[in-house]
Amino acid sequence: MSILEALNKEKIIAILRNVPEKKLDETAIALNRGGIKLIEVTMNSEGALQAINRWKSLFSNKMIIGAGTVLNLQMAKEAISAGADFLITPNLDEEVVSYSIDQGVVIWPGVMTPSEMVRAWEAGAEAVKLFPAGLLGIDYIKDVKGPLDSIPIIATGGVNLQNIKTFLEAGVLGVGLGSSLVDKKLIEENRFDDLTNLARKYVTAVNQESSRL
């Protein structure tokens, strides 16, 4: 199964941004116990590269490990060297897309406009990250999916437990979940069992929607 196929099945990418370095592993373990199979740590997080490298061994075949907020070619090189299975960017940089593809690493670049979506697709990206999806809204996604239905969209920003089903109904391939899933308060208070339970709620919501669709 390819990484894109795994995302199509699982629907959720957990985004760890600025989680304290000493709690990165506990957080990832808690999310995985809750059923999360795709996870990214953003490159502007302390200890991101070390975490990616550790998790490749720690989780083996249990999770697919990615690097997020990959802003430029140097970051892409560092993330790939650390062992990232996929890269996600907040912006569209064709040089980064091209390099990642040449290295055999999946990349989902950040886009907002139809023009950026087409540019990313023509550069070789298998899917695009629509950001900020919450601000753009469901109607925007439905509208761009009309003419651009061949380009898989990952909705990121503003997706939560209350609206995740609506985003999936709109036809997105998957969603990126930051603070709505990776709850900083739970992590700060070491309530990792509660974090696992929160992850299970998201996974259950996705499974229910997938069976309905």
Side-chain angles (χ1 to χ4, degrees):
M1 181 184 296
S2 71
I3 294 177
L4 191 70
E5 289 169 338
L7 176 58
N8 186 41
K9 177 185 176 186
E10 302 295 336
K11 301 298 183 188
I12 293 173
I13 305 169
I15 303 169
L16 276 65
R17 183 185 304 279
N18 293 325
V19 172
E21 185 174 5
K22 63 183 180 181
K23 296 188 178 183
L24 279 169
D25 289 356
E26 288 178 287
T27 301
I29 290 168
L31 292 169
N32 184 237
R33 285 175 176 165
I36 299 300
K37 301 296 176 61
L38 288 91
I39 188 171
E40 70 165 89
V41 57
T42 64
M43 290 290 284
N44 58 348
S45 299
E46 188 174 350
L49 294 173
Q50 295 86 345
I52 291 168
N53 189 263
R54 281 196 312 275
W55 292 351
K56 291 289 290 182
S57 299
L58 179 62
F59 294 107
S60 186
N61 296 321
K62 293 181 180 179
M63 279 210 289
I64 300 170
I65 312 300
T69 314
V70 179
L71 297 174
N72 51 49
L73 185 59
Q74 182 59 36
M75 283 187 177
K77 290 179 178 180
E78 292 172 351
I80 291 172
S81 294
D85 297 313
F86 63 90
L87 306 183
I88 296 183
T89 74
N91 61 310
L92 174 58
D93 184 328
E94 283 98 335
E95 185 180 30
V96 173
V97 174
S98 178
Y99 176 78
S100 301
I101 293 170
D102 287 346
Q103 297 300 308
V105 175
V106 171
I107 180 165
W108 299 322
V111 299
M112 188 172 73
T113 67
S115 294
E116 287 179 327
M117 291 175 66
V118 172
R119 280 173 51 201
W121 183 251
E122 290 179 344
E126 294 181 333
V128 297
K129 180 185 86 169
L130 186 65
F131 176 81
L135 181 63
L136 293 169
I138 298 297
D139 289 339
Y140 181 88
I141 293 172
K142 290 179 179 178
D143 285 347
V144 297
K145 286 292 290 181
L148 303 179
D149 59 337
S150 62
I151 302 178
I153 293 174
I154 303 163
T156 304
V159 184
N160 54 49
L161 197 55
Q162 287 68 46
N163 64 22
I164 187 171
K165 292 183 180 181
T166 308
F167 276 98
L168 294 175
E169 287 171 355
V172 301
L173 178 76
V175 298
L177 299 174
S179 58
S180 62
L181 169 60
V182 188
D183 189 307
K184 295 288 182 64
K185 190 171 190 298
L186 296 181
I187 295 168
E188 180 182 348
E189 297 175 357
N190 296 314
R191 294 162 55 192
F192 292 105
D193 287 343
D194 289 336
L195 185 60
T196 293
N197 290 334
L198 180 58
R200 287 195 182 113
K201 289 179 181 179
Y202 274 99
V203 171
T204 298
V206 163
N207 290 340
Q208 289 174 346
E209 183 60 22
S210 296
S211 63
R212 192 188 70 81
L213 295 174

